[in-house]
Every structure is written in structure tokens, then in C-alpha cells.
């Protein structure tokens, strides 16, 4: 048996060949004889021009050919073929993949596929070790993703949270510096490029850099001796200062020429130094209602100033012969389209629609009719939770911009902690992706915790397969996933998690709605009951020797203990018993912190504790 490719093939094709050989050797006891050969070919010309990632698989009795529309598509094809043969890439952790034994006759098949969307990716959030990020990157093409986004100029913020164990008092902090993050980032980028994936970089942080701070996180600045750039800051209530002490959250006076020049030079310089980056994100501050009130800025809108800034960057990039694609962001104040300004060269730009304040109780609402966008009032903006209103903003922007675009969404950043079963959020993701065509958006980047597999990774799995084939079928994906994870009793596990999902409180955990709520309190009581009733079933999957039928049952057991504590804390909060809710939260914290190392890859302890304090309001330190 042989896997071959042309001499001089890229490292992506070489990796595809290695992977195919390794998996086939594991899967087939009796390998086909030597003349059996699979050729890997990257051939754009044999596919429709400008198509999304596409591939063709033709395997007969003597082997055959796997052809991709680009090198990355060859790698995607190899993994898709392995999936066809029965492999299941259930989570970013390689040890939980399913690799079946098959007969060599099963190798024969012919089919072709084209990805439904151009942009299919994930953006780093949460607290992550180097191994977490690397494992995630390795997993992405296995399930059909093609992009990864490292935020800021380095992913320091996310890695610092992990290595310093910021929310876990039981684990001693390790040192981790911005230089460590740069070193780790270089290795991660090598792995992204090795897979031919599209690399997105930067985003927030530019405003802090313009103010002279090395901005690779949302951390507060304590040193305040550098007054030389104060004039570049937004003036709010007559004062120019850091917003909450955080450079990444501070807006600039976008009328100030010195600030604009510095911004443009920083972006252009960064593009020059990062030739392997495919998409450069240029965003403003990560807070709202904090924009400049100086006499010049108030005569225009933030979006008009943003478009002017983007045009200046574009002009400088033309001078420098840089073809870097720039991603601009629609969220917060920037949801309101510019009044006067327009992008000069739309082909340079990609529109990123980020409905960060949306509800996750439901999927995108497209049938609500034409909703008007609210009147814009400087520094008195309320963000839209309503889906129809979010769509109305997008439509207004689409009237003036016709270039590439994708949605940047957050089902697995915060909201998922309110769906204990993960079935609800997986269905919302599936339904949202199926609506992207109608929204005139060509893809989806998920801004999310990378460790979001608790009780399992169905939401990410659903996202991946629906993005590649939007009509793949919600039910089929769920059945495939659950039967692979839980074995013959998978339907019981699904029924239990579906019940928990029906009792979800995604918006409540995310801080939306009144804290006192009989509805939520009632739901949490039912959640507790449901967990208690299923206890025996879960325990039945653990042998007398302490061995579990599959790891997913063990994870379900740990998950149940956590939900019992969490749901009780939420019940108390919803009943107005704040102090007792805080005590329950502390019990939950102790439980998950003490067990963190054991279940580290699946559950982001930093993030759940941050979300439940900051957004849910479960814990207020006693004065
Ligand atoms: Zn100003």
C-alpha cells in the first residue's frame, strides 16, 4: 500500500499523506498489496473557478486518487475520507478519537464535496495552555474547519490566564510573560500554516498601542507616568484618560491627526512583518459608550471616522504594495452604518458582523419583517438583544458594502454555560449556520472557549460539520455523535441531556433579564431532579473495578456533580437569596477547582467562574 504525491508538494500535502497512511495502518489488519496506491493531488483547474474548499475522492479496487481544489482541501479530503470509513474525531483530544477496524474492500468509494461557506473557523478565548491550543489547531481540519484566529498581537491574555491559574486558588501560579507568548505563537502559527489554514490576527489592542502601551490583553495599566499620548485619547465628560484603566478598552479621539497617523503606521508595519497572515483585524476599543465628545468628533459618527481610518490604512497599504486583507467589525456603536463615508476599495475589506449582545435562547430571526434601527445617541447606546434588530443593522451595512463577509458569533463564549445539556446550543448553532446564505454572509468564525466539551463537544462538532455541508442534518449529526460517545445506551444519554437542555438558562447565565425569576428558580429545581433521577443510569456505566464503559460516561458523572451545585446556586439567586447563592457558588468553585487538572481539556474553570461572577452575578464579595 502506498500514498503518493508529486515531488515538490507542499508540507500540507506531505502531512495529508502521513495522516492517511497512519490511520489506514491502524484501521486495516490486512493491508492491500504493494500495487495498491492512493495519489494525493492538488488541482485548482479541475474544479469550478473560485469555489470554496472542494475535493473529489475516487478509490477503486487498486487504489485511486484524492483531488483537492487547493492543498488544504487535500488535507480536508483525507480526513473526510477517514470519517467516511468510520473514524470519529469527537473532540480536540486525539485519545478520544474513534478509529475502527475495517476490511480492505470497504476502502472503495467515489464522491465529491464542496464546502458550503468560505470562512469556517474559531477564534481563541478563555484560558488556554499551549497544549490546549495546539490540540485544537490539529483538530480543526479533521472536522472541516479552515481558519484559526489568534487575537491581539499574541495570545498572551489567554495563556497568561491559564499559566497563572488566575481563578484557581488551589494551583500555584507559574510565570508566563508576553515574550513566552510570542515564542509559543510562532510554534502555533507554524502548525496552522502546515495545515494550509487561513490565519487571522490582531483585532482589539490597536487603541492601546496608539497610546504607547504594549497591548496584548485587557489588563489594567498601573503605570500612568507617560503623559505624552494623553491628547490621543477620547475626551469623555471633559477628560482624556484610560477607560477603566484598560488601554484595550479605551477609544481614541479619531479626529486627532497624530492619533490616526500612529494608528495607520502601526497597522501597516504589522502587516509588513506578518506576511503569512491572511486576515488582519482592525478594531477599535472593546467597550462602548466611551467615545470622544470633543467639538470635532461630535460633528460626525464613530462609524464615519472608522471608515475614514480604514481608507487611510488602505491607501498606505497600496503605497507599500501590501495586499493584506483587512477585517472590519460591526458591533457596539459600529452597528450603526456610516452616514457619509464609504470604503474606497471594497475588495481590500471583509465585513465581520458580531451580534455580541444577541439572545441564545433562539436562532437568528429572519422572518420578523423590516425592523427599523434605533436612533443613535452618542454615549447612550443600548445594545440590541433582539435578533430582528441585530439583523436590521446588518442589512443597513449591506446596502453600502458588497465585499466578503462572515458572522463572528459567541454561542460557545459565555452563553453555553447556561445550557447544561449542550443539545440546545448545538441546535441553535446548526440553525444559525443554515441561515447564513439568507443573511448574505459567507461563513462563521466562532469566538469561543477552546475548552468547551462539557459534557461533550457536540456544539463544536455540529458547527464544524454544518459549516462544511449546511444541509448535513441536525438529527444525523446528533445520532452520529452520541452513538460514538456513549455506545449502546446513547439514546438514554441523549434523552437526559435533551431534558437538561430544555431547561436551559443561556440568557440568565449571560446576565440578561431580571435576577429575581420564579421561572428560572422552577427550571433549576427541575434540573436538580433530572440529575438525581439519572444518577443510577450513569453509575451503571462504571464497573466494580472503577472502569467506565467510555470516557464520556465518566465525564457525564463529573458534569452531573457540577450541575447539582451550579443549578442550586442559580435557584437561590433567582429566588432572591443572594448570600446563600454566593455560598453555593463557592462550593461549586471549590469542587471544580480541586478537580480542574483531571478534566482540564474539557472544561474552562477560569471562564465559568469569571462569567458567573461578572455576568450572572452569583457572587459578590462580602464587605
Ligand atoms: Zn475627538
Amino acid at each position: 500500500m502506498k500514498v503518493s504525491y508529486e515531488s515538490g508538494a507542499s508540507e500540507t500535502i506531505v502531512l495529508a499523506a502521513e495522516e492517511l497512511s497512519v490511520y489506514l495502518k491502524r484501521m486495516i489488519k490486512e493491508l492491500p498489496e504493494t500495487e495498491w496506491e492512493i495519489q494525493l493531488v492538488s488541482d485548482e483547474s479541475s474544479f469550478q473557478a473560485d469555489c470554496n474548499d472542494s475535493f473529489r475522492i475516487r478509490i477503486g479496487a487498486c487504489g485511486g486518487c484524492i483531488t483537492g481544489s487547493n492543498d488544504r482541501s487535500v488535507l480536508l479530503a483525507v480526513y473526510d475520507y477517514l470519517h467516511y470509513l468510520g473514524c470519529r474525531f469527537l473532540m480536540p483530544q486525539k485519545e478520544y478519537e474513534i478509529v475502527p477496524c475495517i476490511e480492505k474492500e470497504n476502502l472503495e468509494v467515489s464522491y465529491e464535496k464542496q464546502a458550503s461557506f468560505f470562512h469556517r473557523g474559531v477564534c481563541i478565548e478563555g484560558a488556554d495552555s499551549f497544549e490546549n491550543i495546539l490540540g485544537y489547531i490539529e483538530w480543526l481540519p479533521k472536522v472541516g474547519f479552515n481558519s484559526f484566529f489568534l487575537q491581539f498581537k499574541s495570545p498572551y491574555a489567554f495563556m497568561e490566564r491559564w499559566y497563572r491559574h488566575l481563578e484557581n486558588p488551589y494551583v500555584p501560579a507559574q510565570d508566563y510573560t508576553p515574550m513566552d507568548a510570542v515564542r509559543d505563537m510562532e510554534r502555533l502559527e507554524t502548525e496552522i500554516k502546515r495545515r494550509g489554514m487561513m490565519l487571522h490576527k490582531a483585532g482589539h489592542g490597536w487603541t492601546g498601542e496608539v497610546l504607547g502601551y504594549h497591548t496584548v490583553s485587557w489588563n489594567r495599566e498601573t503605570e500612568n507616568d507617560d503623559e505624552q499620548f494623553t491628547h490621543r485619547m477620547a475626551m469623555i465628560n471633559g477628560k482624556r484618560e484610560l477607560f477603566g484603566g484598560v488601554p484595550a478598552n479605551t477609544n481614541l479621539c479619531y479626529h486627532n491627526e497624530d492619533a490616526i497617523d500612529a494608528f495607520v503606521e502601526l497597522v501597516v508595519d504589522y502587516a509588513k512583518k506578518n506576511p503569512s497572515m491572511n486576515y488582519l483585524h482592525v478594531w477599535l476599543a472593546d467597550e462602548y459608550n466611551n467615545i470622544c465628545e470633543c467639538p470635532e468628533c461630535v460633528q460626525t459618527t464613530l462609524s464615519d471616522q472608522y471608515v475614514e481610518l480604514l481608507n487611510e490604512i488602505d491607501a498606505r497599504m497600496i503605497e507599500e504594495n501590501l495586499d493584506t486583507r483587512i477585517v472590519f467589525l460591526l458591533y457596539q456603536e459600529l452597528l450603526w452604518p456610516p452616514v457619509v463615508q464609504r470604503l474606497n476599495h471594497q475588495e481590500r475589506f471583509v465585513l465581520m458582523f458580531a451580534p455580541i449582545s444577541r439572545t441564545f435562547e433562539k436562532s437568528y430571526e429572519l422572518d420578523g419583517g423590516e425592523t427599523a434601527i434605533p436612533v443613535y445617541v452618542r454615549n447612550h447606546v443600548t445594545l440590541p438583544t433582539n435578533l430582528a434588530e441585530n439583523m436590521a443593522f446588518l442589512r443597513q451595512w449591506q446596502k453600502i458594502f458588497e465585499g466578503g463577509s462572515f458572522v463572528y458569533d459567541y454561542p460557545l463564549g459565555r452563553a453555553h454555560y447556561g445550557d447544561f445539556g449542550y443539545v440546545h446550543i448545538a441546535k441553535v448553532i446548526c440553525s444559525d449556520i443554515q441561515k447564513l446564505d439568507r443573511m448574505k454572509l459567507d461563513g462563521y468564525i466562532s469566538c469561543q472557549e477552546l475548552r468547551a466539551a462539557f459534557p461533550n463537544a457536540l456544539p463544536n462538532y455540529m458547527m464544524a460539520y454544518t459549516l462544511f455541508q449546511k444541509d448535513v442534518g441536525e438529527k444525523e449529526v446528533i445520532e452520529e455523535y452520541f452513538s460514538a460517545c456513549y455506545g449502546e445506551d446513547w439514546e438514554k444519554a441523549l434523552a437526559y441531556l435533551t431534558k437538561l437542555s430544555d431547561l436551559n438558562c443561556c440568557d440568565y447565565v449571560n446576565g440578561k433579564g431580571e435576577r429575581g425569576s420564579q421561572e428560572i428558580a422552577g427550571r433549576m429545581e427541575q434540573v436538580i431532579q433530572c440529575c438525581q433521577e439519572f444518577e443510577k443510569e450513569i453509575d451503571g456505566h462504571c464497573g466494580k473495578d472503577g472502569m467506565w464503559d467510555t470516557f464520556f460516561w465518566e465525564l457525564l458523572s463529573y458534569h452531573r456533580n457540577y450541575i447539582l451545585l451550579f443549578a442550586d446556586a442559580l435557584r437561590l439567586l433567582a429566588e432572591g437569596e443572594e448570600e446563600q447563592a454566593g455560598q453555593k457558588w463557592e462550593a461549586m468553585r471549590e469542587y471544580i477547582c480541586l478537580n480542574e487538572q483531571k478534566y482540564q481539556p474539557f472544561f474552562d474553570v477560569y471562564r465559568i467562574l469569571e462569567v458567573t461572577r461578572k455576568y450572572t452575578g452569583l457572587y459578590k464579595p462580602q464587605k
Side-chain angles (χ1 to χ4, degrees):
M1 193 207 72
K2 196 177 157 195
V3 179
S4 62
Y5 47 83
E6 276 191 348
S7 65
S10 72
E11 56 179 356
T12 306
I13 304 274
V14 175
L15 174 67
E18 282 169 13
E19 287 285 86
L20 185 56
S21 304
V22 166
Y23 279 96
L24 288 181
K25 276 178 196 151
R26 284 174 66 188
M27 293 164 80
I28 306 170
K29 283 189 207 87
E30 202 187 322
L31 282 166
E33 46 295 339
T34 41
E35 63 265 32
W36 197 90
E37 180 176 337
I38 294 184
Q39 275 188 302
L40 301 185
V41 180
S42 173
D43 178 16
E44 198 184 349
S45 67
S46 75
F47 293 88
Q48 199 190 319
D50 294 326
C51 62
N52 293 335
D53 291 332
S54 304
F55 53 78
R56 191 180 299 125
I57 293 172
R58 299 264 181 273
I59 312 285
C62 303
C65 194
I66 293 179
T67 314
S69 60
N70 52 45
D71 293 3
R72 172 181 64 240
S73 293
V74 175
L75 182 64
L76 296 175
V78 161
Y79 290 129
D80 194 79
Y81 178 50
L82 292 169
H83 177 260
Y84 165 82
L85 295 175
C87 291
R88 295 292 176 262
F89 307 105
L90 299 171
M91 301 206 279
Q93 289 66 45
K94 228 180 152 173
E95 54 270 45
Y96 305 110
E97 288 177 3
I98 290 181
V99 182
C101 287
I102 59 167
E103 300 298 323
K104 63 184 180 196
E105 290 72 30
N106 299 128
L107 293 170
E108 294 175 36
V109 68
S110 281
Y111 68 90
E112 52 184 286
K113 282 186 182 177
Q114 186 189 154
S116 300
F117 303 100
F118 183 79
H119 299 279
R120 310 183 307 279
V122 170
C123 175
I124 186 171
E125 277 283 345
D128 308 290
S129 71
F130 177 78
E131 290 73 21
N132 292 145
I133 309 172
L134 179 62
Y136 205 91
I137 289 168
E138 289 172 348
W139 182 68
L140 288 168
K142 291 182 179 175
V143 287
F145 285 115
N146 69 358
S147 309
F148 194 67
F149 182 3
L150 288 162
Q151 279 195 80
F152 292 101
K153 286 185 176 177
S154 84
Y156 171 71
F158 316 102
M159 300 179 82
E160 183 212 16
R161 287 171 183 168
W162 169 251
Y163 288 107
R164 299 186 66 82
H165 302 295
L166 292 181
E167 289 278 356
N168 192 338
Y170 301 99
V171 185
Q174 285 171 256
D175 274 341
Y176 194 78
T177 66
M179 281 311 292
D180 292 329
V182 169
R183 178 204 61 212
D184 286 341
M185 178 176 67
E186 283 169 9
R187 290 170 61 195
L188 295 168
E189 287 187 9
T190 302
E191 293 302 322
I192 293 168
K193 294 320 266 184
R194 189 168 167 224
R195 286 161 179 76
M197 288 199 291
M198 294 189 276
L199 171 63
H200 291 241
K201 291 187 80 174
H204 293 303
W206 294 112
T207 60
E209 299 271 334
V210 171
L211 298 174
Y213 296 96
H214 180 56
T215 310
V216 285
S217 72
W218 293 271
N219 292 351
R220 289 172 70 98
E221 276 299 332
T222 40
E223 287 170 41
N224 218 351
D225 51 8
D226 195 355
E227 299 266 307
Q228 61 172 321
F229 295 129
T230 307
H231 65 284
R232 293 179 177 175
M233 295 178 185
M235 187 172 87
I236 304 161
N237 296 324
K239 272 194 233 144
R240 297 187 194 269
E241 57 191 10
L242 287 181
F243 188 73
V246 181
N249 290 349
T250 305
N251 265 305
L252 306 176
C253 173
Y254 300 105
H255 177 79
N256 185 290
E257 242 176 78
D258 177 47
I260 296 295
D261 288 349
F263 202 131
V264 172
E265 285 315 305
L266 280 166
V267 173
V268 171
D269 184 54
Y270 187 73
K272 273 195 225 167
K273 287 179 179 152
N274 287 272
S276 68
M277 165 180 68
N278 303 83
Y279 292 93
L280 170 54
H281 291 242
V282 179
W283 309 346
L284 306 181
D286 194 18
E287 275 291 352
Y288 63 108
N289 287 334
N290 62 341
I291 68 171
C292 189
E293 296 166 345
C294 82
E296 284 79 18
C297 285
V298 295
Q299 313 216 353
T300 178
T301 73
L302 187 67
S303 295
D304 281 276
Q305 291 182 313
Y306 187 40
V307 169
E308 268 185 279
L309 169 69
L310 294 170
N311 278 333
E312 293 236 9
I313 292 169
D314 173 44
R316 281 281 292 122
M317 283 190 165
I318 292 170
E319 272 173 38
E320 298 281 345
N321 247 324
L322 290 165
D323 57 6
T324 315
R325 300 293 301 273
I326 294 174
V327 181
F328 68 100
L329 166 62
L330 267 59
Y331 92 144
Q332 301 181 351
E333 280 96 349
L334 300 173
L335 284 169
W336 278 265
V339 181
V340 183
Q341 297 293 332
R342 298 292 179 261
L343 289 167
N344 293 332
H345 300 107
Q346 298 206 353
E347 63 281 7
R348 162 87 65 193
F349 298 98
V350 178
L351 179 156
M352 182 173 111
F353 172 56
I356 190 165
S357 50
R358 69 170 280 200
T359 173
F360 281 97
E361 310 265 318
K362 285 181 285 200
S363 173
Y364 301 138
E365 171 66 57
L366 303 184
D367 301 317
E370 285 284 314
T371 307
I373 61 173
V375 176
Y376 172 71
V377 186
R378 180 171 299 257
N379 289 342
H380 289 88
V381 161
T382 310
L383 299 183
T385 48
N386 177 310
L387 290 151
E389 203 168 287
N390 270 292
M391 291 307 130
F393 282 109
L394 175 62
R395 274 194 292 268
Q396 294 298 322
W397 265 97
Q398 285 174 334
K399 283 181 187 163
I400 59 163
F401 182 79
E402 294 177 334
S405 61
F406 60 86
V407 72
Y408 186 71
D409 214 342
Y410 307 82
L412 300 180
R414 307 208 295 257
H416 61 120
Y417 293 119
D419 176 17
F420 308 139
Y422 261 20
V423 177
H424 164 79
I425 205 82
K427 287 180 177 175
V428 169
I429 290 167
C430 176
S431 173
D432 284 350
I433 292 171
Q434 288 172 337
K435 288 172 187 158
L436 291 177
D437 279 340
R438 284 175 63 201
M439 289 159 71
K440 300 196 189 108
L441 294 170
D442 198 6
Y444 188 108
I445 304 267
S446 171
C447 179
Q448 65 162 83
E449 279 72 78
L450 299 185
R451 297 185 288 143
F454 198 44
N456 56 50
L458 175 71
N460 252 172
Y461 196 81
M462 179 73 82
M463 185 189 289
Y465 283 101
T466 315
L467 272 172
F468 201 86
Q469 299 268 271
K470 64 173 187 236
D471 48 5
V472 65
E474 173 196 290
K475 194 166 168 270
E476 287 75 8
V477 173
I478 291 176
E479 283 187 19
E480 172 184 300
Y481 194 80
F482 271 75
S483 55
C485 291
Y486 300 101
E488 60 179 19
D489 279 336
W490 68 268
E491 282 169 294
K492 289 182 187 164
L494 177 58
Y496 162 65
L497 292 175
T498 302
K499 214 164 156 189
L500 290 182
S501 273
D502 289 345
L503 299 165
N504 83 81
C505 53
C506 291
D507 282 358
Y508 188 78
V509 166
N510 218 348
K512 297 187 195 344
E514 292 295 321
R515 297 298 84 185
S517 163
Q518 277 313 307
E519 159 76 19
I520 294 295
R523 280 184 176 223
M524 293 308 107
E525 262 172 43
Q526 291 182 66
V527 164
I528 291 163
Q529 201 188 342
C530 184
C531 287
Q532 285 164 345
E533 283 167 8
F534 202 63
E535 183 173 353
K536 226 174 138 193
E537 177 64 36
I538 294 179
D539 291 348
H541 289 271
C542 183
K544 287 201 179 74
D545 53 358
M547 294 288 283
W548 291 87
D549 287 354
T550 72
F551 170 71
F552 290 89
W553 284 104
E554 178 186 348
L555 200 54
L556 210 51
S557 171
Y558 177 54
H559 175 261
R560 185 199 54 214
N561 296 341
Y562 146 74
I563 293 302
L564 283 169
L565 295 165
F566 188 19
D568 211 20
L570 290 168
R571 178 185 65 81
L572 289 160
L573 182 69
E575 284 172 352
E577 303 288 344
E578 277 187 28
E579 205 179 318
Q580 284 186 55
Q583 287 163 5
K584 256 302 167 206
W585 181 88
E586 286 186 87
M588 175 187 91
R589 177 175 67 171
E590 183 174 273
Y591 181 68
I592 61 179
C593 284
L594 288 171
N595 285 290
E596 178 169 29
Q597 294 292 350
K598 195 169 176 198
Y599 300 100
Q600 194 273 359
F602 316 103
F603 185 36
D604 191 328
V605 164
Y606 167 87
R607 192 63 168 149
I608 179 71
L609 294 175
E610 186 194 32
V611 167
T612 46
R613 263 192 298 106
K614 199 170 152 187
Y615 297 91
T616 323
L618 262 175
Y619 179 74
K620 291 184 185 68
Q622 304 299 313
K623 279 177 194 136

